[in-house]
């Protein structure tokens, strides 16, 4: 996003800062692995990078940011030939205009109304002033790496120009453009629109247009009455009587939705704040000093007889400006995005629609590119821009998987195939010892005692097979029914098991009814933050279909939670040569439906030499703040924990960071890297300096890779596990590469992008890629490699766990302006040194 105030100085400052911070330089490309060819979704620019782009600042008075896009478009429509000289114009809908030719004047002032035919329509003053001339020649120096830093303003200008046609002709949400043609039905009220994402990206020697498939949920084009009838599956005949439960459902669904009205001629949208407790027939207000019902008012003023006078009214506006509108005179505007959180069923359906295999995804993207004219349209031609209609094909490499060691005593080794392996006949590398545990059955109505006993016996057998030692005192765990509230039930089992075994309980295994996510969250909150005991949940349907494989998978989680090690990689790069601590860090801002809850921070770091057990930090900070504020103290505490376990501090520190966008790179180096350095210096004043490498890992990007040779496909049609891509499509300035460590199961696999921002350890590309690939095989919950290296995955899971840690189960979803930090419950100290969260 371009900032309005001091925009040019911001870009100039960032360029100067990038030079000053001396980001890591690429030491070379990797060489290990089998070479293949892959097709990308990047389309090279074939036109010449020449001439200038003229940048104009837009100010509108009176200020109305929501209307800026419409006002700019209206100004261009009315004054394109006169004041703008018929020049091709691209704008961001906010404060910026870019042109390939200079406007007739450096400063233009216009009077614009959104409805010129209406003499009472509000008039706005639009001031357009030239603020910068951008030479496209600079981009030649960027893609050849002669400049030494990226030219963000140039790329931003190209992005807005390439999206100009799409933004005008389709529904645009940031860099995503959606077509209403052939939507997929999600529910009776919602539909899924297909579209494309576009982004201009610099490569090595070329500029690319990254085009990817994108999907979004929109309201179906319905009147509000039809929406309610379809949603509740009822007929509102007879005046529209609803019970209280139905009113609550509707109120939640409609809150913050903007609607159009049909009883008068206006394009204004009205945002719903709530529903009235009374109907149109019973809601009374003063009109000219006389009490009047809303029903009578509409009859007298608009000659409209309400068909549903018993329905509650929509509350629109706030305070004294609140007005009441009958639902039957409201419709949902076209292209209204559904911004609330989807339910489990809708989410499942959404995944089915979006989850396309590589061949289908490629085909759909190509169809949308042609249909929406993304690569060839009149605006691109007017800007002198042309992209190839053939995506770039680049060389890639397939890295060998690491050898996995099980059974510390037996030295059994496994070589994964296609990112997966079978641990049949293998025992855990370092099994835990289970001495005290209990079982709670929350599905008392559905689960018979015989089946419950069979399940407990099956778990004990699975533990024995996989190598977990079960003490005689734990061979017959206590089992109780969860008939009381969760806190009372967990306290009861914890106390009884402790009294029976005279050992502090290590584990409470909870059997839950199917589809019971709310209870799951409360169990985790109480176990982690109130009692301080490991919990393992299992659904009723899994218990009823229990088999040895299910038992083995459960044991993998239990062993890791209880301090054991499932497997070991003997020769992890870097780690094998020197004591090394590896961090994974993430920040999570709860998404749609989570009100104004705070940012959750999760940090993990290994405490053993095999990089298999991690200590944790989980906390909160101000919402929307992605930079970790107290990182210095977090790193210091984790380093001391490493020292306690290994009798020394590490020589090397590798910090892998998730949740950071390209625009935040300089921020994290200025703040987080410096905080890590201070923590290290504090502990090593008299010792050798700890060398730091700071590496960002990104999953939210739009690069996809497709095998060009059927022989190089895995069973899902994706590229094989261990795929590494770098070279032509790499960032010309920064050290980055793409790694797809996992094999596909469904859909099209997404690689992870690794960007090295600081490197004091002088890593080679081969060593770093091998490390990232190896650590993607150490994820303790399954026998498959995962999409990102395990420390990052763990920090992500930790943040998700933190969403449960609020005193009230609903407090994370409360839409309040302020958040009290005391509402967040901290993890019990005895759990922080282990992997309770997996």
């Amino acid at each position: 996003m371009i900032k309005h105030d001091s925009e040019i100085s911001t870009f100039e400052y960032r360029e100067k800062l990038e030079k000053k911070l001396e980001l890591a330089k690429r030491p070379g490309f990797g060489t290990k692995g089998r070479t293949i060819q892959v097709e990308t979704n990047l389309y090279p620019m074939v036109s010449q990078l020449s001439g200038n782009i003229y940048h104009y600042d837009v100010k509108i008075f009176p200020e109305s940011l929501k209307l800026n896009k419409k006002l700019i478009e209206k100004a261009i429509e009315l004054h394109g030939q006169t004041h703008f000289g018929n020049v091709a114009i691209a704008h961001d809908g906010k404060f910026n205009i870019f042109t390939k030719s200079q406007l007739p004047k450096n400063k233009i002032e216009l009077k614009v109304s959104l409805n010129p035919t209406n003499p009472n329509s509000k008039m706005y003053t639009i001031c357009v002033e030239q603020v910068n001339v951008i030479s496209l020649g600079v981009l030649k120096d960027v893609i050849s790496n002669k400049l030494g830093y990226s030219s963000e303003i140039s790329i931003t200008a190209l992005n807005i120009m390439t999206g100009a046609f799409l933004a005008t002709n389709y529904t645009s949400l940031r860099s995503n453009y959606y077509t209403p043609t052939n939507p997929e039905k999600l529910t009776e009220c919602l539909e899924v629109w297909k579209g494309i994402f576009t982004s201009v990206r610099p490569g090595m020697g070329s500029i690319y247009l990254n085009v990817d498939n994108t999907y979004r949920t929109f309201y179906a084009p319905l009147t509000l009455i039809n929406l309610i009838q379809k949603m509740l599956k009822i007929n509102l005949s007879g005046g529209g009587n609803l019970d209280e439960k139905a009113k609550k459902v509707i109120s939640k669904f409609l809150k913050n939705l903007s609607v159009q009205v049909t009883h008068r001629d206006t394009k204004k949208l009205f945002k719903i704040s709530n529903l009235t407790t009374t109907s149109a027939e019973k809601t009374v207000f003063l009109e000219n000093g006389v009490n009047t019902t809303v029903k009578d008012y509409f009859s007298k003023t608009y000659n409209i007889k309400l068909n549903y006078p018993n329905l509650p009214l929509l509350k629109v506006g706030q305070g004294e400006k609140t007005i009441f509108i009958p639902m039957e005179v409201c419709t949902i505007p076209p292209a209204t995005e559904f911004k609330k959180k989807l339910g489990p069923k809708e989410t499942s359906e959404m995944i089915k629609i979006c989850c396309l295999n590589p061949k289908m995804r490629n085909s759909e993207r190509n169809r949308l590119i042609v249909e929406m004219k993304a690569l060839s349209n009149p605006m691109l031609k007017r800007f002198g821009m042309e992209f190839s209609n053939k995506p770039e094909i680049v060389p890639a490499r397939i890295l060998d998987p690491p050898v996995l060691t099980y059974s510390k005593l037996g030295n059994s080794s496994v070589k994964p195939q296609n990112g997966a392996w079978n641990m049949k006949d293998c025992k855990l590398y370092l099994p835990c010892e289970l001495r005290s545990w209990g079982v709670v059955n929350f599905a008392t109505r559905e689960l018979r005692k015989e089946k419950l006993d069979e399940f407990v016996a099956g778990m004990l057998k699975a533990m024995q097979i996989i190598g977990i030692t079960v003490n005689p005192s734990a061979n017959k765990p206590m089992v109780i029914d969860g008939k009381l509230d969760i806190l009372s039930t967990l306290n009861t089992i914890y106390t009884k098991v402790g009294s029976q075994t005279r050992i502090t309980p290590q584990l409470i295994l909870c059997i839950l009814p199917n589809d019971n996510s709310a209870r799951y969250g409360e169990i985790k909150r109480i176990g982690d933050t109130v009692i301080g005991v490991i919990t393992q949940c299992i659904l009723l349907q899994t218990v009823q279909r229990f088999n040895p494989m299910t038992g083995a998978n459960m044991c993998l989680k239990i062993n890791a939670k209880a301090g054991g090690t499932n497997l070991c990689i003997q020769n992890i790069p870097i780690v094998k040569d020197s004591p090394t601590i590896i961090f994974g860090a993430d920040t999570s801002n709860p998404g749609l439906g989570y009100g104004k809850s705070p940012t959750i921070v999760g940090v993990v770091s290994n405490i053993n030499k095999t990089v298999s057990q991690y200590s944790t930090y989980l906390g909160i900070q101000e919402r929307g703040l992605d930079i970790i504020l107290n990182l210095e103290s977090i790193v210091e505490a984790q380093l001391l924990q490493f020292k306690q376990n290994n009798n020394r501090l590490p020589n090397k520190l590798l910090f892998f960071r998730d949740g950071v966008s390209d625009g935040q790179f300089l921020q994290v180096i200025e703040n987080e890297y410096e905080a890590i350095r201070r923590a290290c210096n504090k502990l090593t004043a008299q010792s050798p300096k700890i060398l730091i490498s700071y590496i960002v890992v990104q999953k939210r990007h739009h690069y996809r890779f497709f095998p060009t040779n059927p022989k190089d496909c895995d069973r899902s049609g994706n590229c094989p596990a261990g795929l590494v891509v770098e070279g032509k499509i790499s960032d010309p300035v920064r050290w980055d590469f793409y790694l797809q460590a996992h094999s596909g199961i469904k859909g099209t696999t997404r690689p992870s992008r690794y960007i090295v921002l600081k490197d004091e350890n002088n890593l080679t590309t081969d060593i770093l890629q091998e490390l990232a690939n190896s650590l993607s095989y150490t994820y303790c919950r399954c026998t498959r490699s995962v999409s990102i290296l395990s420390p990052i995955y763990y920090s992500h899971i930790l943040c998700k766990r933190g969403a449960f840690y609020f005193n009230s189960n609903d407090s994370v979803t409360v839409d309040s302006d302020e958040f009290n930090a005391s509402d967040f419950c901290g993890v019990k100290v005895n759990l922080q040194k282990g992997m309770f969260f997996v």
Side-chain angles (χ1 to χ4, degrees):
M1 180 186 297
I2 302 178
K3 301 212 174 159
H4 182 220
D5 297 326
S6 63
E7 175 173 334
I8 300 305
S9 60
T10 299
F11 282 117
E12 289 176 349
Y13 169 76
R14 290 165 70 88
E15 290 176 357
K16 289 177 182 177
L17 186 61
E18 188 166 347
K19 296 177 194 174
K20 177 184 173 184
L21 293 176
E22 296 181 355
L23 301 185
K25 300 295 183 184
R26 189 188 302 273
F29 295 114
T31 58
K32 292 186 176 181
R34 175 173 65 90
T35 302
I36 67 169
Q37 296 285 314
V38 295
E39 182 181 307
T40 70
N41 59 344
L42 296 154
Y43 298 83
M45 181 183 281
V46 294
S47 53
Q48 294 296 313
L49 287 170
S50 59
N52 298 325
I53 294 174
Y54 298 90
H55 179 197
Y56 295 85
D57 178 64
V58 179
K59 290 186 175 71
I60 298 178
F61 306 100
E63 290 186 5
S64 182
L65 185 55
K66 290 182 180 179
L67 294 176
N68 274 23
K69 181 180 179 182
K70 290 182 179 180
L71 287 166
I72 293 171
E73 288 173 350
K74 182 60 71 173
I76 295 170
E77 176 192 332
L78 296 175
H79 305 284
Q81 290 190 345
T82 54
H83 290 77
F84 294 110
N86 205 26
V87 168
I89 294 173
H91 62 88
D92 64 356
K94 294 175 184 176
F95 310 109
N96 300 278
I97 281 177
F98 294 96
T99 67
K100 198 69 169 61
S101 304
Q102 204 163 10
L103 298 181
K105 295 181 180 179
N106 287 345
K107 189 172 183 179
I108 300 169
E109 187 172 303
L110 303 166
K111 299 285 185 181
V112 173
S113 163
L114 288 175
N115 190 1
T117 58
N118 183 353
N120 297 320
S121 180
K122 190 173 183 178
M123 193 66 68
Y124 294 86
T125 301
I126 300 180
C127 297
V128 179
E129 184 175 5
Q130 183 177 315
V131 290
N132 196 15
V133 179
I134 305 162
S135 171
L136 285 176
V138 171
L139 283 176
K140 289 183 179 179
D141 293 336
V142 170
I143 62 179
S144 62
N145 200 15
K146 292 178 181 177
L147 202 61
Y149 59 89
S150 56
S151 177
E152 193 175 336
I153 181 67
S154 305
I155 296 297
T156 299
L158 289 182
N159 264 313
I160 293 171
M161 292 166 77
T162 54
F165 175 84
L166 296 170
T168 303
N169 292 276
Y170 297 96
T171 299
S172 62
L173 298 169
R174 294 163 291 280
S175 297
N176 301 283
Y177 308 96
Y178 299 94
T179 171
T181 308
N182 301 321
E184 296 272 359
K185 181 179 176 182
L186 187 63
T187 69
E188 292 294 334
C189 309
L190 302 174
E191 55 191 27
V192 179
W193 289 18
K194 300 172 185 177
I196 54 174
F197 162 91
T198 68
S199 176
V200 174
R201 306 286 298 185
M204 290 190 163
S206 185
I207 295 291
Y208 293 99
L209 186 65
N210 179 203
V211 185
D212 194 20
N213 309 57
T214 183
Y215 304 85
R216 189 79 61 161
T217 308
F218 290 84
Y219 289 91
L222 299 167
T223 66
L224 225 51
I225 293 296
N226 284 341
L227 181 141
I228 291 168
Q229 291 183 135
K230 288 177 178 290
M231 182 181 169
L232 298 177
K233 297 179 180 177
I234 60 171
N235 189 329
L236 286 174
S237 59
N241 293 296
L242 294 175
D243 59 28
E244 290 304 313
K245 183 180 178 182
K247 288 178 184 177
K248 284 183 179 179
V249 171
I250 292 170
S251 179
K252 185 176 180 181
F253 190 79
L254 296 181
K255 186 173 183 181
N256 294 326
L257 173 64
S258 294
V259 293
Q260 290 176 328
V261 295
T262 58
H263 65 284
R264 57 192 181 95
D265 184 20
T266 178
K267 294 182 179 179
K268 183 179 178 180
L269 298 181
F270 297 87
K271 189 174 182 181
I272 302 168
S273 61
N274 212 332
L275 300 184
T276 60
T277 55
T278 53
S279 66
E281 199 166 44
K282 296 181 180 179
T283 302
V284 177
F285 67 99
L286 281 174
E287 186 196 16
N288 300 324
V290 179
N291 282 334
T292 306
T293 66
V294 172
K295 177 186 173 184
D296 291 341
Y297 174 80
F298 268 76
S299 176
K300 183 173 62 175
T301 307
Y302 300 108
N303 196 27
I304 294 174
K305 180 183 177 182
L306 296 181
N307 296 314
Y308 307 96
N310 297 329
L311 283 178
L313 301 162
L314 303 178
K315 273 188 181 180
V316 174
Q318 300 290 334
E320 294 180 357
K321 294 184 178 181
T322 300
I323 59 173
F324 306 122
I325 305 176
M327 294 185 190
E328 63 189 89
V329 299
C330 296
T331 62
I332 300 173
T336 299
E337 181 190 5
F338 181 74
K339 295 182 179 180
K340 298 181 186 290
K341 187 179 180 183
L342 292 173
K345 185 179 178 181
E346 291 77 20
T347 300
S348 177
E349 287 300 314
M350 183 76 172
I351 290 171
K352 289 178 185 177
I353 293 169
C354 305
C355 195
L356 303 178
N357 65 41
K359 188 175 180 180
M360 292 174 65
R361 189 182 184 92
N362 237 341
S363 175
E364 176 134 299
R365 188 188 73 247
N366 290 334
R367 179 186 66 79
L368 286 167
I369 285 173
V370 173
E371 178 187 315
M372 300 173 73
K373 300 180 180 179
L375 298 175
S376 177
N377 60 66
M379 287 299 286
L380 284 177
K381 289 178 181 176
R382 291 188 70 187
F383 287 128
M385 297 168 66
E386 185 181 354
F387 292 92
S388 170
N389 60 4
K390 293 183 179 179
E392 191 75 83
I393 294 176
V394 297
R397 292 174 289 115
I398 309 298
L399 300 180
D400 289 334
V403 176
L404 311 177
T405 301
Y406 282 97
S407 185
K408 195 172 184 181
L409 297 176
N411 289 325
S412 59
S413 297
V414 176
K415 188 72 179 285
Q417 298 291 325
N418 298 319
W421 63 96
N422 191 333
M423 58 175 294
K424 185 181 178 182
D425 301 327
C426 293
K427 293 188 182 293
L428 299 170
Y429 181 78
L430 189 64
C432 67
E433 182 181 3
L434 199 58
R435 297 176 296 163
S436 178
W437 66 301
V439 179
V440 179
N441 177 20
F442 286 102
T444 51
R445 292 182 181 178
E446 302 92 340
L447 189 61
R448 302 189 322 271
K449 184 179 184 303
E450 300 79 22
K451 194 68 180 177
L452 178 58
D453 292 341
E454 185 183 320
F455 163 70
V456 173
M459 281 300 303
L460 286 165
K461 186 176 181 181
M463 291 175 188
Q464 180 187 5
I465 291 171
I466 210 166
I468 292 176
T469 303
V470 181
N471 273 19
S473 61
N475 260 325
K476 290 186 178 181
M478 179 175 288
V479 180
I480 70 168
D481 289 340
K483 294 181 178 179
L484 302 175
D485 64 273
I486 294 173
L487 178 59
S488 300
T489 301
L490 294 185
N491 267 327
T492 299
I493 187 74
Y494 185 82
T495 304
K496 286 187 174 182
V497 169
S499 299
Q500 183 187 63
T501 62
R502 296 185 179 181
I503 300 170
T504 303
Q506 297 166 272
L507 169 72
I508 298 175
L509 198 155
C510 302
I511 301 169
L512 303 182
N514 300 330
D515 192 22
N516 206 323
S517 56
R519 188 173 291 184
Y520 172 86
E522 189 67 355
I523 288 170
K524 294 302 178 183
R525 183 185 72 83
I526 292 169
D528 297 349
T529 71
V530 179
I531 299 174
V533 65
I534 292 167
T535 54
Q536 178 62 52
C537 295
I538 182 170
L539 289 176
L540 170 66
Q541 62 190 21
T542 308
V543 172
Q544 292 171 328
R545 298 197 302 259
F546 188 82
N547 57 46
M549 184 177 291
T550 302
N553 287 336
M554 291 279 290
C555 288
L556 292 178
K557 298 178 184 179
I558 290 169
N559 189 59
K561 290 180 182 184
T565 298
N566 292 350
L567 60 84
C568 171
I569 298 176
Q570 298 287 0
N571 295 310
I572 298 178
I574 306 171
V575 178
K576 66 181 180 180
D577 300 321
S578 180
T580 304
I581 186 169
I582 299 178
F583 282 81
D586 191 15
T587 55
S588 173
N589 292 298
L592 298 176
Y594 284 89
K596 297 180 180 177
S597 52
T599 295
I600 299 171
V601 178
V603 181
V604 305
S605 64
N606 64 299
I607 55 175
N608 60 356
K609 295 177 182 177
T610 55
V611 199
S612 56
Q613 274 293 324
Y614 294 79
S615 62
T616 64
Y617 168 84
L618 182 59
I620 57 171
Q621 59 189 30
E622 181 185 339
R623 179 177 176 83
L625 193 61
D626 293 326
I627 304 300
I628 302 175
L629 292 181
N630 57 335
L631 190 57
E632 182 179 342
S633 61
I634 295 170
V635 171
E636 183 181 352
Q638 304 285 64
L639 286 170
L640 290 173
Q641 186 64 49
F642 183 95
K643 183 178 181 181
Q644 182 180 331
N645 280 54
N646 298 278
N647 298 316
R648 61 161 297 159
L649 289 168
N651 292 336
K652 299 180 179 182
L653 185 156
L654 274 62
F655 195 90
F656 288 93
R657 178 69 155 89
D658 193 10
V660 174
S661 65
D662 287 29
Q664 295 172 315
F665 287 167
L666 302 180
Q667 268 185 293
V668 293
I669 291 302
E670 254 195 318
N671 295 277
E672 293 187 359
Y673 166 76
E674 292 299 334
I676 299 166
R677 170 49 59 211
R678 288 194 299 272
C680 291
N681 290 347
K682 191 182 294 185
L683 297 178
T684 58
Q686 306 300 322
S687 309
K689 181 180 177 182
I690 298 175
L691 301 176
I692 302 167
S693 294
Y694 188 105
I695 302 151
V696 170
V697 185
Q698 292 180 339
K699 283 289 288 179
R700 295 174 185 171
H701 61 80
H702 288 269
Y703 279 35
R704 299 293 183 273
F705 304 117
F706 307 89
T708 57
N709 189 333
K711 294 180 181 179
D712 293 324
C713 297
D714 65 12
R715 282 185 291 184
S716 67
N718 283 286
C719 296
L723 177 83
V724 174
V725 181
E726 57 183 349
K728 288 174 74 174
I729 63 165
S730 295
D731 191 303
V733 176
R734 302 184 179 105
W735 176 11
D736 70 341
F737 60 86
Y738 294 84
L739 170 64
Q740 180 208 302
H742 62 305
S743 61
I745 299 176
K746 276 186 174 183
T748 303
T749 52
R750 183 191 324 202
S752 296
R753 183 189 179 206
Y754 290 76
I755 310 100
V756 185
L757 297 184
K758 279 288 184 179
D759 179 33
E760 298 171 1
N761 288 292
N762 294 321
L763 303 173
T764 67
T765 300
D766 276 326
I767 283 178
L768 180 57
Q769 291 172 353
E770 189 180 351
L771 171 75
N773 191 48
S774 295
L775 290 181
S776 300
Y777 283 80
T778 61
Y779 184 60
C780 69
R781 300 208 298 194
C782 60
T783 54
R784 301 182 67 90
S785 57
V786 289
S787 59
I788 45 178
L789 75 175
S790 298
I792 284 285
Y793 213 134
Y794 292 145
S795 68
H796 181 66
I797 295 173
L798 195 59
C799 285
K800 287 180 72 175
R801 179 66 70 89
F804 299 131
Y805 291 174
F806 296 84
N807 282 320
S808 164
N809 218 24
D810 297 325
S811 62
V812 77
T813 63
V814 172
D815 193 11
S816 58
D817 291 329
E818 294 184 6
F819 177 82
N820 191 340
S822 63
D823 291 336
F824 185 82
C825 308
V827 180
K828 287 290 184 179
V829 175
N830 64 303
L831 296 182
Q832 291 178 13
K833 297 177 183 179
M835 299 171 66
F836 65 92
F837 56 91
V838 295

